[in-house]
Amino acid sequence: MSATKVTRFREVKPSMSLPKALLLAGGLAGLIGYAAFATVELPELAAVSSVVSDDEATESAVAVIDEQGSGPDARIAANLLRPDAPVRGPLNTAELAHLALTDQDGKRFSLADLKGDTLLVNFMFAGCTSVCPVQTIGLRRVHNELKLEPKTDRIKLVSITIAPLSDTPQQLKDFAKRFEIDQPTWRFGVASQADTDELTEQFSVGVKPLDGEQLDHRSLLYLINHEGVMIQQYRGAQVDVERLKKELRIVDALR
């Protein structure tokens, strides 16, 4: 069993003016080599060094988190401190080859099939009445101003629906026609519900049902290079057209 040197702190003053949760945050940060900063005045602390096992340190952190009732996010954070916790790199579309999509023309594909292209991916649904139409207009500007040539350009836009039970390929085609973006360089895709759930989990889309058949979801945009590696995310509620045009061209040139 490996051991980790942990600097424990005892308080010199008789009372503690900060919540235990704040001290825990500082302690956990210390375990992974980061400094924790606070804008409030800390009580005077005296450091006492001791050596404890990794398991003891992690179990202690989890126990305090559970005691404080900090919720699932805090428990996930504590679990990531375990020595055997898996470390995941950037998302690679090769990991998604088993997730089948059907585009607006009825052709099946996966994101892994698009390796070799520079992709700008977003998640939407045709019945959206809030951010999706606005985002689509912004992406249309990016697409049209790039003046992409299907036979020569390797930049593609991919829009994946989060409502597979209502969005058929024909409905996606109607959506694309309505926005005048039914182009070979912009594919719309629908998957099965199970594959959609896995895709939205992999991209951390965070889909939540709302009243009136509407869906809440994160409006991020994802830039994937020609090797299938996600290298950038953008806020998508307001599309930064000029930045996207520039960075798509730059990334596409890095071959």
Side-chain angles (χ1 to χ4, degrees):
M1 180 172 59
S2 61
T4 301
K5 184 174 181 180
V6 179
T7 300
R8 299 185 182 277
F9 293 93
R10 58 179 175 81
E11 188 180 1
V12 175
K13 293 186 178 180
S15 61
M16 182 176 292
S17 61
L18 291 177
K20 289 182 179 179
L22 181 57
L23 294 180
L24 172 64
L28 292 177
L31 287 175
I32 55 176
Y34 291 93
F37 297 92
T39 56
V40 295
E41 183 179 355
L42 289 171
E44 183 181 355
L45 300 176
V48 180
S49 295
S50 62
V51 177
V52 298
S53 70
D54 290 331
D55 289 342
E56 289 173 337
T58 304
E59 292 305 324
S60 175
V62 174
V64 174
I65 287 172
D66 287 337
E67 177 186 348
Q68 295 297 321
S70 299
D73 288 347
R75 284 191 289 275
I76 291 171
N79 287 332
L80 289 174
L81 294 176
R82 297 181 184 277
D84 58 348
V87 177
R88 175 179 172 177
L91 178 68
N92 192 312
T93 57
E95 304 165 6
L96 311 177
H98 61 291
L99 303 177
L101 294 154
T102 303
D103 70 12
Q104 69 266 39
D105 294 315
K107 298 177 181 178
R108 289 173 63 85
F109 71 103
S110 73
L111 290 177
D113 294 337
L114 304 181
K115 183 176 181 180
D117 291 334
T118 300
L119 306 179
L120 183 62
V121 178
N122 76 310
F123 288 81
M124 45 68 71
F125 63 106
C128 178
T129 59
S130 56
V131 69
C132 300
V134 177
Q135 184 182 78
T136 301
I137 292 296
L139 292 176
R140 184 177 70 178
R141 284 189 56 200
V142 174
H143 177 271
N144 292 349
E145 292 178 20
L146 282 172
K147 299 181 179 179
L148 299 175
E149 293 291 338
K151 294 183 179 180
T152 56
D153 278 304
R154 301 302 301 268
I155 296 173
K156 302 290 190 299
L157 276 67
V158 180
S159 296
I160 301 172
T161 178
I162 59 173
L165 299 183
S166 59
D167 283 351
T168 64
Q170 184 59 52
Q171 285 172 313
L172 292 178
K173 191 169 187 68
D174 292 342
F175 180 89
K177 286 182 175 179
R178 189 182 320 136
F179 285 86
E180 300 179 332
I181 49 177
D182 186 22
Q183 303 291 334
T185 46
W186 193 333
R187 299 183 81 171
F188 286 79
V190 57
S192 67
Q193 184 65 65
D195 285 359
T196 300
D197 290 343
E198 186 170 347
L199 278 167
T200 55
E201 180 180 354
Q202 291 287 341
F203 283 88
S204 300
V205 180
V207 181
K208 298 178 182 178
L210 297 175
D211 294 335
E213 300 183 350
Q214 291 297 297
L215 297 170
D216 182 31
H217 64 99
R218 301 178 74 190
S219 58
L220 295 176
L221 305 172
Y222 308 88
L223 177 57
I224 298 174
N225 71 9
H226 70 284
E227 295 181 335
V229 178
M230 183 198 299
I231 61 172
Q232 183 62 285
Q233 296 182 22
Y234 306 90
R235 293 179 180 177
Q238 293 184 339
V239 176
D240 190 336
V241 175
E242 295 305 318
R243 178 183 177 186
L244 284 172
K245 286 163 47 183
K246 178 180 178 180
E247 295 187 7
L248 279 165
R249 285 298 190 193
I250 290 173
V251 171
D252 190 57
L254 299 175
R255 296 176 177 273

